[in-house]
Amino acid sequence: MRTMVNKLIPVLLIFTVILTLAGCGEKTETAGDPAAEDGQKIVITGLTDSDYPITVGELKKLPAVTKKARATRSNGEVVKVKATGCLLEDLLQQQGKTVKDYNTIRFSARDGYSIAVPPDILKNRSIILAYRIDGKSPDEENRPVRVVIPGERAMYWVRMLERIDLETGAEQTPVKKVVFLETAVKTLPQEELKDFDSTDKAVKTKDLINAYAGGDKSQNAFITAGDGLHKNETESNFLSAYIKITGKEAPKFLAPHLPQGMHIRDVLCINYGATSFLAYSQGKKALPPQTLEGQSGIALSDVIKQTGLSRAARYRFSSLDGQSLEVAVDELGNGLIHENAQGNPAFYCPGTADKSMDNLLAIECLE
């Protein structure tokens, strides 16, 4: 009997050690550990004079809301959740602030994803900081908190939230120059860039800005897609990326080091400082078609409206080969941007032969 007991003791000790290690392993996960969940922090900037950290536990002390919401991803997939959490508005009001005090609010995730929510959404939507999804604590792909904005695209529903930047200086600078992307890229170094299962041509955003907006300073780049998506990107993220100029979904803003959710397909225009870059290929799809004297294209007035080009007494039109043309605002008439025989953007002013230009590169305001 004693021999049997002696043999069992080592087995029991090993079993006890295994259980202890298993228990320790579970404690490293926040799921199922309320104390660990509640202790996770999110950092807020712009709310006070210094960084303002807040824990999930502190968020849970604010009035809770539960809402069912759905959103569509860029690939057409529909996301449905029942989100429970506090409203960002209630959090800000603790410090005497409101969502409407800010031009944009940028949410950043621990995997590097970030997105800025524009003013129209801040004014018209509720923003939930959800610490429960479908009645459960967030899983590894969502914790500690997931942003849910009912009625908005899934791109704004940031998972794994770790930082909230409240921004008051992200307003766009008045545009003084429009550069046509298809013409501009002909002057820039082009690289091969892999995008999913294809390899296409791309230019560095830094090269584009240095060549055509080198004197501009901007904290943000404002990007508009052909489907109406508006997004602004931080200067550092933007200048470290590429514009894909051939292949599917071109022009496309992307970078290997950025999460794919931050990539933007079918780019229509990019406003950086006082310069706007317009893709004619998307313009002819997204803007109303115009036909004048048998020539089809985009109305100059729609280009001005889309890019935000400032009103001026005179404008200078310049071409790829260095030619330029100055036109008074009252002489523009029904100006048209169209494609020439080589497929490049061109300017045409009906009835006035000397107010036309091939291989159009840029339109600038003259004081």
Side-chain angles (χ1 to χ4, degrees):
M1 184 72 174
R2 181 175 298 174
T3 301
M4 183 178 296
V5 171
N6 290 339
K7 289 181 179 179
L8 284 174
I9 289 174
V11 175
L12 291 172
L13 287 173
I14 292 171
F15 185 66
T16 302
V17 170
I18 291 172
L19 287 177
T20 302
L21 291 175
C24 291
E26 288 176 359
K27 289 180 182 179
T28 63
E29 299 291 334
T30 58
D33 186 345
E37 286 180 8
D38 290 355
Q40 294 179 93
K41 291 182 180 180
I42 298 165
V43 175
I44 305 175
T45 68
L47 182 59
T48 59
D49 292 338
S50 57
D51 287 355
Y52 181 84
I54 189 166
T55 65
V56 173
E58 290 170 322
L59 295 181
K60 289 180 178 179
K61 294 177 181 179
L62 294 169
V65 298
T66 299
K67 289 188 178 182
K68 292 182 178 181
R70 57 184 291 161
T72 304
R73 292 195 172 108
S74 58
N75 62 4
E77 181 184 352
V78 176
V79 182
K80 298 179 182 179
V81 301
K82 184 173 77 171
T84 298
C86 69
L87 294 176
L88 178 61
E89 178 70 10
D90 289 340
L91 171 58
L92 298 186
Q93 285 190 4
Q94 283 193 320
Q95 298 293 326
K97 301 290 186 179
T98 175
V99 167
K100 297 181 178 64
D101 290 336
Y102 302 95
N103 297 112
T104 60
I105 295 179
R106 181 174 296 279
F107 296 110
S108 300
R110 56 182 165 85
D111 67 349
Y113 182 88
S114 74
I115 191 167
V117 181
D120 59 325
I121 296 179
L122 298 180
K123 292 177 183 177
N124 298 301
R125 302 291 191 192
S126 296
I127 300 174
I128 303 171
L129 304 180
Y131 44 74
R132 294 188 72 80
I133 302 294
D134 298 327
K136 302 177 182 178
S137 296
D139 58 18
E140 184 63 31
E141 292 184 353
N142 287 280
R143 70 172 66 111
V145 161
R146 183 175 185 179
V147 177
V148 175
I149 308 180
E152 289 301 327
R153 301 178 191 232
M155 62 185 288
Y156 293 111
W157 292 21
V158 178
R159 302 169 181 263
M160 301 180 285
L161 182 67
E162 71 171 7
R163 186 180 180 92
I164 303 173
D165 295 300
L166 308 173
E167 302 176 356
T168 57
E171 294 180 329
Q172 296 191 42
T173 302
V175 173
K176 299 295 183 181
K177 179 170 66 173
V178 174
V179 176
F180 290 87
L181 189 62
E182 288 87 351
T183 310
V185 298
K186 295 179 184 299
T187 68
L188 302 176
Q190 298 182 12
E191 300 181 16
E192 290 189 344
L193 192 67
K194 189 171 179 59
D195 184 27
F196 291 103
D197 57 353
S198 66
T199 300
D200 303 301
K201 296 291 186 181
V203 297
K204 291 181 177 179
T205 51
K206 187 175 182 178
D207 289 343
L208 183 67
I209 296 303
N210 287 342
Y212 296 104
D216 291 352
K217 299 294 181 183
S218 181
Q219 294 181 351
N220 296 265
F222 298 84
I223 306 173
T224 301
D227 65 357
L229 168 68
H230 296 278
K231 188 173 186 288
N232 80 52
E233 193 50 79
T234 62
E235 180 185 35
S236 59
N237 280 343
F238 179 72
L239 292 180
S240 66
Y242 292 81
I243 302 296
K244 189 180 80 163
I245 57 176
T246 65
K248 188 179 179 181
E249 301 179 344
K252 185 175 183 179
F253 170 80
L254 75 169
H257 67 281
L258 295 178
Q260 288 186 2
M262 295 175 69
H263 297 177
I264 303 172
R265 63 183 183 180
D266 301 325
V267 171
L268 172 59
C269 67
I270 301 168
N271 285 21
Y272 183 91
T275 303
S276 179
F277 297 89
L278 179 75
Y280 178 83
S281 60
Q282 282 301 313
K284 66 183 181 182
K285 298 176 184 178
L287 302 178
Q290 182 79 15
T291 301
L292 293 172
E293 297 186 2
Q295 188 68 260
S296 297
I298 309 168
L300 176 61
S301 58
D302 285 331
V303 169
I304 292 173
K305 181 179 179 181
Q306 176 62 55
T307 59
L309 184 64
S310 300
R311 183 174 176 82
R314 298 181 68 80
Y315 295 88
R316 177 188 293 122
F317 294 74
S318 57
S319 68
L320 185 62
D321 60 6
Q323 297 185 51
S324 65
L325 170 70
E326 292 187 12
V327 184
V329 64
D330 56 3
E331 296 177 315
L332 290 177
N334 295 321
L336 185 76
I337 307 298
H338 66 98
E339 285 180 307
N340 62 17
Q342 292 74 43
N344 300 324
F347 169 64
Y348 173 57
C349 200
T352 311
D354 63 349
K355 290 188 175 62
S356 300
M357 175 163 286
D358 246 2
N359 299 317
L360 182 62
L361 175 62
I363 306 172
E364 298 177 76
C365 297
L366 298 177
E367 300 299 337

